[in-house]
Amino acid sequence: MGAGKNLIKGIIFMGAYIIITMVIPYFTFTWIKDLSDLGIPIVLEQQEYESIIFWISAFGLLISSLAFFSYSSPKQSIRKGVFALLQILVNSLYIWSYKFSGAADILFQFDASQHMTGYFFLNFQNMIMVYLGIYFLTIVLKGYDLVDFIINREKIREKRYGISGGYEKK
């Protein structure tokens, strides 16, 4: 694939990661915070909200930039392997940040009338741990790919460029 196509592919995937890791979570947590204004009091203070949005933005930007470099790199290149591994590691930190920013625990409190009060609590920590287990396996896979790209570097170049030992085939 040509360099121009790789750049376009990188920009498309960067845009997709911006939407997935930044835009959708931002609107979701803004909507949850605004539910308290509609008469459903939610225990999500401004400081917690700002912390959640900060970590979503920080890791979302990192993930999106790494996605650009990963997807704009040539197939089976060491650069692609390094950026893909870094992207998975930052994705793991992104998921882990949900646990520590307060986004994994949401408490809904409500007063239906003077005689009836209640609450329910959404806890996503177990789901986050499952995702981290999956990411661990993905890290192992991306690490294997990187080692494979390094070991088979000459074979990959020969297949890609038709070059054997530094000379073109005739």
Side-chain angles (χ1 to χ4, degrees):
M1 189 182 294
K5 288 182 182 180
N6 281 345
L7 286 175
I8 291 171
K9 183 179 172 187
I11 290 170
I12 289 170
F13 276 95
M14 181 182 68
Y17 274 94
I18 286 173
I19 291 170
I20 292 169
T21 61
M22 293 175 63
V23 174
I24 292 173
Y26 173 78
F27 284 121
T28 301
F29 285 108
T30 302
W31 176 74
I32 287 173
K33 185 178 178 299
D34 289 342
L35 282 177
S36 61
D37 295 337
L38 297 174
I40 305 171
I42 298 172
V43 182
L44 182 62
E45 298 176 4
Q46 183 68 25
Q47 186 176 1
E48 288 177 332
Y49 172 75
E50 288 174 1
S51 175
I52 291 168
I53 297 302
F54 170 77
W55 288 110
I56 285 173
S57 301
F59 282 119
L61 286 172
L62 278 172
I63 290 169
S64 300
S65 62
L66 288 171
F68 171 77
F69 290 115
S70 176
Y71 287 101
S72 66
S73 300
K75 288 185 355 179
Q76 296 182 325
S77 67
I78 295 172
R79 181 177 60 188
K80 184 175 189 79
V82 168
F83 282 117
L85 184 61
L86 286 174
Q87 183 184 1
I88 295 298
L89 290 171
V90 174
N91 277 340
S92 299
L93 292 173
Y94 175 79
I95 296 295
W96 190 258
S97 75
Y98 272 89
K99 182 176 182 177
F100 289 108
S101 68
D105 302 321
I106 301 173
L107 176 63
F108 294 90
Q109 294 178 344
F110 57 91
D111 282 329
S113 68
Q114 292 179 358
H115 303 291
M116 198 165 130
T117 61
Y119 70 94
F120 69 94
F121 184 71
L122 295 177
N123 185 343
F124 296 107
Q125 289 186 8
N126 289 335
M127 186 175 74
I128 288 172
M129 296 308 287
V130 169
Y131 275 115
L132 288 175
I134 293 169
Y135 274 112
F136 173 75
L137 296 174
T138 308
I139 288 169
V140 170
L141 180 66
K142 294 296 182 182
Y144 174 79
D145 284 345
L146 179 60
V147 170
D148 180 46
F149 298 160
I150 292 170
I151 291 173
N152 296 316
R153 184 177 184 178
E154 291 301 320
K155 290 179 186 176
I156 292 169
R157 283 184 175 177
E158 185 177 317
K159 183 179 176 184
R160 184 182 301 148
Y161 301 117
I163 299 172
S164 177
Y167 300 103
E168 285 190 36
K169 288 185 178 179
K170 296 199 178 199

